[in-house]
Amino acid sequence: MTRPRSGLLPPIHLQLQGEPAHRQICDWLRGAITDGRLRPGQGVPSSRALAVELGISRTTVMTAFEQLQAEGYLESVVGAGTRIAAVIPDDVLDAIDTTRGGHGTQRAPRAISTRSRTLLAMPQDSQPQSVGAFRACIPALDRFPHATWSALLRRHARHASPALMAYGDPMGHRPLRDALAGHLGAVRAARCDASQIMITAGAQQALQLCARVLLDPGDAIWMEEPGYPGAQRAFTVAGARLVPVPVDQHGLDIEEGLRREAHPRAVYVTPSHQYPMGAIMNAARRTQLLAAATRAGSWIIEDDYDSEYRFAGRPIASLQGLDTDERVIYVGTFSKVLFPALRVGYLVLPRDLVAPFRAARDAADLFPSTLLQAALADFLREGHFARHIGRMRMLYKQRCAALVRALRMQIGERFEIVNAEAGLHLVALLPPALDDGAISRRLAGFDIAVGPLSYCCLQTPPRRGLILGYGSSSESQLEGAVARLAAVLAATT
Ligand SMILES: Cc1ncc(COP(=O)(O)O)c(C=O)c1O
């Protein structure tokens, strides 16, 4: 057992008057144990060392240690000295907790912000870490080109220059931004250069930064209904007023949006593949949205989270590429193309927003991790990225078709499948009597991660449904999960 110096313990200031010193030491150590700062099994300094450090007699420290041993907080191990007891008796903890209000106490709720309370009341993902069948928005993790990726990481880790290891640019690593500008121009018809690109910790941080830079508390933002819960949360934390705007087969219903709030400060949209319903916004609707935003002076936040995977037809240009008024903020991510744990996404900013976003980033986490960005820049430049997308598009098209087939065969007409032609998930609408939340909870017990459509709604949903991801599951896993789903449905009705 290593014996720490007392400097590694929580600080103590002994009072010369009042309570005797051994009691003060008891209270100090007991408090640190019950509130979790000292852990079971952790060593404590010897009584001699602690006495020297605190400038008191060794007998005083030994008296305190003996008291705490008698109470069950400390134990002495032959040849190894004193340590925190491996098991702190529950009754001791309970007694201390209720009298002192220590760690684990049932307290009356204490003050947190109204925004945090609102956030806590929103539906939470019950299995955020699950990669089980149907988990939406997870790519085929087993098809990731690990060998190429690790070679690129090694290349940069081995020969990391001081510039790569020191503080970086809040906008991100320039070679990655250059590579992205080329990619987005070619594939998404985006109009930008590298100076407008900021690398972020995934799309989620990009949305957070949008909220911070563009919205004051109380400002209205149009949200797609149903829509992406991560965006709902990001704008809720900013204190924005979320205005739900319905989506139809062409995406956001602009007329209805104008009826609900004519002058939103911002509009959040997923035009390439509406999350979760899957609609692709048509050209007329895109023009209508850009014109409405220009008239109202609104920003448009375009979340282009999985546009790489369109199975039929030609790719549609991004809204950013159609925008002649520089009011679209484009959000992209590597989570669906590579893997979510990479935590790399990006923003394409109108030129006049570069300085405020840069300042907000500097105040938040300074800049993104540079080593990953350097490897990612090479991944793009050397063509691995484009190749991987091409392969995955074929794979997801097959998996999507397999899922639709299995649903039709095993569940039939009870599900209405919508927009199964792009991305990593589809939505199956349920008959009115079925509760999507209850079905999702029952399937969670079998490690099947079905997202309830109602969790994506700010208002009472007109239809309930299930969000079924197919990206990360093989065809046979999908068939097995559909069989389980069919059994749960049969037991539910
Ligand atoms: C619509 C939408 N936007 C953004 C994201 C988040 O991506 P990231 O992992 O980069 O935060 C997701 C993830 O599922 C999503 O569905």
Side-chain angles (χ1 to χ4, degrees), residues 369-438:
S369 161
T370 313
L371 176 62
L372 278 184
Q373 295 182 77
L376 201 46
D378 287 355
F379 197 80
L380 263 78
R381 278 196 303 229
E382 294 175 13
H384 308 296
F385 188 64
R387 254 191 313 281
H388 185 59
I389 292 177
R391 284 195 203 115
M392 293 304 100
R393 191 181 292 124
M394 290 305 296
L395 180 76
Y396 298 143
K397 183 177 179 180
Q398 287 160 6
R399 288 184 172 178
C400 178
L403 174 57
V404 171
R405 241 185 352 260
L407 287 170
R408 295 226 163 100
M409 278 178 61
Q410 299 193 48
I411 300 180
E413 300 304 308
R414 300 184 67 205
F415 274 2
E416 185 189 331
I417 298 169
V418 288
N419 296 324
E421 57 202 25
L424 302 174
H425 73 274
L426 57 79
V427 168
L429 293 173
L430 293 170
L434 293 183
D435 176 356
D436 51 7

Side-chain angles (χ1 to χ4, degrees), residues 7-74:
L8 295 178
L9 297 178
I12 179 173
H13 301 289
L14 289 177
Q15 306 295 324
L16 296 179
Q17 276 148 12
E19 249 196 320
H22 71 271
R23 277 217 212 123
Q24 292 184 51
I25 295 172
C26 277
D27 289 349
W28 165 59
L29 279 170
R30 207 189 279 113
I33 294 167
T34 53
D35 70 13
R37 281 176 294 159
L38 290 177
R39 307 236 150 246
Q42 185 177 335
V44 295
S46 69
S47 54
R48 190 187 310 276
L50 196 53
V52 170
E53 282 210 39
L54 298 178
I56 55 176
S57 82
R58 189 175 169 210
T59 317
T60 305
V61 177
M62 285 171 69
T63 309
F65 278 15
E66 278 161 20
Q67 173 66 29
L68 289 170
Q69 275 178 23
E71 291 177 9
Y73 290 100
L74 294 183

Side-chain angles (χ1 to χ4, degrees), residues 235-473:
F235 299 123
T236 297
V237 181
R241 185 160 56 84
L242 276 52
V243 180
V245 178
V247 292
D248 60 21
Q249 71 275 25
H250 300 304
L252 197 69
D253 183 340
I254 316 289
E255 299 294 335
E256 184 56 30
L258 289 169
R259 269 192 288 279
R260 294 188 181 194
E261 171 58 60
H263 295 282
R265 170 64 68 86
V267 177
Y268 167 81
V269 266
T270 50
S272 307
H273 187 224
Q274 200 275 327
Y275 188 88
M277 298 305 288
I280 294 170
M281 192 183 270
N282 64 12
R285 201 62 76 81
R286 284 166 194 253
T287 313
Q288 193 188 5
L289 174 58
L290 287 165
T294 301
R295 274 196 305 276
S298 314
W299 297 108
I300 298 175
I301 301 165
E302 175 182 21
D303 182 352
D304 208 24
Y305 65 108
D306 74 355
S307 61
E308 293 82 2
Y309 303 128
R310 186 151 189 246
F311 306 143
R314 296 193 25 229
I316 298 175
S318 61
L319 263 183
Q320 198 274 355
L322 295 173
D323 173 23
T324 51
D325 198 28
E326 292 224 36
R327 45 184 69 254
V328 174
I329 296 116
Y330 178 96
V331 176
T333 177
F334 288 98
S335 288
K336 319 294 164 220
V337 187
L338 301 181
F339 56 94
L342 199 59
R343 301 315 302 141
V344 182
Y346 47 92
L347 282 158
V348 180
L349 300 166
R351 280 167 222 282
D352 54 341
L353 288 186
V354 170
F357 270 79
R358 188 187 184 97
R361 183 64 185 279
D362 205 25
D365 65 338
L366 303 185
F367 67 98
S369 161
T370 313
L371 176 62
L372 278 184
Q373 295 182 77
L376 201 46
D378 287 355
F379 197 80
L380 263 78
R381 278 196 303 229
E382 294 175 13
H384 308 296
F385 188 64
R387 254 191 313 281
H388 185 59
I389 292 177
R391 284 195 203 115
M392 293 304 100
R393 191 181 292 124
M394 290 305 296
L395 180 76
Y396 298 143
K397 183 177 179 180
Q398 287 160 6
R399 288 184 172 178
C400 178
L403 174 57
V404 171
R405 241 185 352 260
L407 287 170
R408 295 226 163 100
M409 278 178 61
Q410 299 193 48
I411 300 180
E413 300 304 308
R414 300 184 67 205
F415 274 2
E416 185 189 331
I417 298 169
V418 288
N419 296 324
E421 57 202 25
L424 302 174
H425 73 274
L426 57 79
V427 168
L429 293 173
L430 293 170
L434 293 183
D435 176 356
D436 51 7
I439 294 172
S440 160
R441 283 191 294 279
R442 294 188 70 167
L443 286 164
F446 302 100
D447 198 25
I448 296 179
V450 169
L453 184 59
S454 55
Y455 283 18
C456 297
C457 297
L458 295 167
Q459 297 177 312
T460 308
R463 288 286 298 269
R464 291 186 175 253
L466 303 175
I467 303 168
L468 305 175
Y470 45 77
S472 60
S473 311

